[in-house]
Amino acid sequence: MSAVLVAPTTQAAPSTVPPNVYTLNRTAQLEALYTIIRDKTTSRGDFIFYSDRIIRLLVEEGLNHLPVIPKSVETPTGVTYDGVGFEGRICGVSILRAGEAMEAGLREVCRSVRIGKILIQRDEATAKPKLFYSKLPEDIASRYVLLLDPMLATGGSAIKAVEVLMEHGVPEERIIFINLIASPEGLNNMCARYPRLRVITGWIDQGLNEKAYIIPGLGDFGERRYTI
């Protein structure tokens, strides 16, 4: 069978995406990557390989939203080049456990980046997200923070994680939340609560089902990533 060139499909998205939400450009290559990781028959090795490719794209896009300042350098030809340099320092914070899978992608493009961790789980007494563990850089309040979690369903864990960061002195506008797949409900919940942070997502899915699972989604990211 000969190959045919087709236009990439558009993502399912709410009629109005919050203004602080940014998505990767829709390309046939990106859709092919998502098709692989959504496929329930994809092996664990392939799931890791192809999800890592998407994560690197997301991290690069996240870095595009950091401020820059003018910077001049001299090239090997002796000519001055007027460019830019990053302003300020960054760190990553992963929401355990699935967010840890995104740390390698961040380290591949940001040398020696400091990374913190936050563990949030459902409180059985209140049914609300509860902080169980956090380990953050001591100077996190002076850094731009890339908050990492691959799936955004209802937004409860991510909203709690942002609350924790702000309690440690991180300004809302210095937080960039990076994720692979988001639901419209989760985006609306998060952006209504924190309109000044930025969200970088790879794909906005159709929505949530009655069990609050993202549809069509890709299943449990952590299970597919870490379970042999």
Side-chain angles (χ1 to χ4, degrees):
M1 180 183 296
S2 59
V4 294
L5 182 63
V6 297
T9 60
T10 56
Q11 62 180 324
S15 57
T16 303
V17 176
N20 51 333
V21 174
Y22 304 85
T23 61
L24 296 179
N25 290 332
R26 295 282 82 75
T27 64
Q29 179 181 199
L30 184 67
E31 186 171 9
L33 297 177
Y34 272 94
T35 300
I36 293 171
I37 66 172
R38 290 183 193 273
D39 187 346
K40 69 178 183 180
T41 67
T42 295
S43 67
R44 175 174 176 263
D46 281 349
F47 182 86
I48 292 172
F49 178 80
Y50 290 105
S51 62
D52 279 350
R53 285 186 60 185
I54 300 172
I55 289 167
R56 284 193 292 272
L57 294 173
L58 288 165
V59 170
E60 293 284 9
E61 178 60 25
L63 296 177
N64 282 335
H65 291 263
L66 296 176
V68 294
I69 56 175
K71 181 178 182 179
S72 297
V73 297
E74 184 177 348
T75 73
T77 62
V79 177
T80 298
Y81 174 77
D82 296 322
V84 298
F86 288 118
E87 181 183 31
R89 298 173 297 168
I90 70 169
C91 72
V93 174
S94 60
I95 300 177
L96 302 175
R97 74 172 170 165
E100 282 187 306
M102 304 177 72
E103 293 178 6
L106 177 58
R107 287 194 172 101
E108 286 174 0
V109 296
C110 299
R111 279 186 165 183
S112 304
V113 64
R114 301 188 68 181
I115 294 181
K117 300 178 188 293
I118 293 176
L119 174 61
I120 295 170
Q121 294 180 340
R122 176 188 173 98
D123 188 320
E124 296 301 330
T126 64
K128 295 182 179 180
K130 179 180 178 181
L131 175 66
F132 279 81
Y133 171 82
S134 67
K135 184 176 182 181
L136 304 172
E138 293 181 358
D139 60 349
I140 194 170
S142 64
R143 295 176 179 265
Y144 289 89
V145 178
L146 302 183
L147 182 61
L148 311 173
D149 197 9
M151 309 296 288
L152 181 70
T154 64
S157 294
I159 289 172
K160 183 64 178 179
V162 173
E163 179 184 314
V164 172
L165 293 176
M166 293 179 65
E167 288 174 350
H168 282 77
V170 181
E172 180 183 333
E173 59 273 15
R174 282 179 171 249
I175 301 171
I176 301 175
F177 177 64
I178 298 178
N179 94 301
L180 273 78
I181 295 177
S183 74
E185 296 92 331
L187 288 174
N188 288 329
N189 290 339
M190 189 168 188
C191 295
R193 179 75 175 271
Y194 300 115
R196 294 194 302 277
L197 60 70
R198 278 156 288 181
V199 178
I200 313 297
T201 187
W203 207 277
I204 303 175
D205 270 13
Q206 295 172 8
L208 303 176
N209 66 10
E210 65 280 359
K211 295 182 179 180
Y213 295 161
I214 300 175
I215 298 298
L218 52 72
D220 187 311
F221 187 94
E223 288 296 322
R224 297 190 66 185
R225 177 97 185 185
Y226 297 115
T227 302
I228 298 176

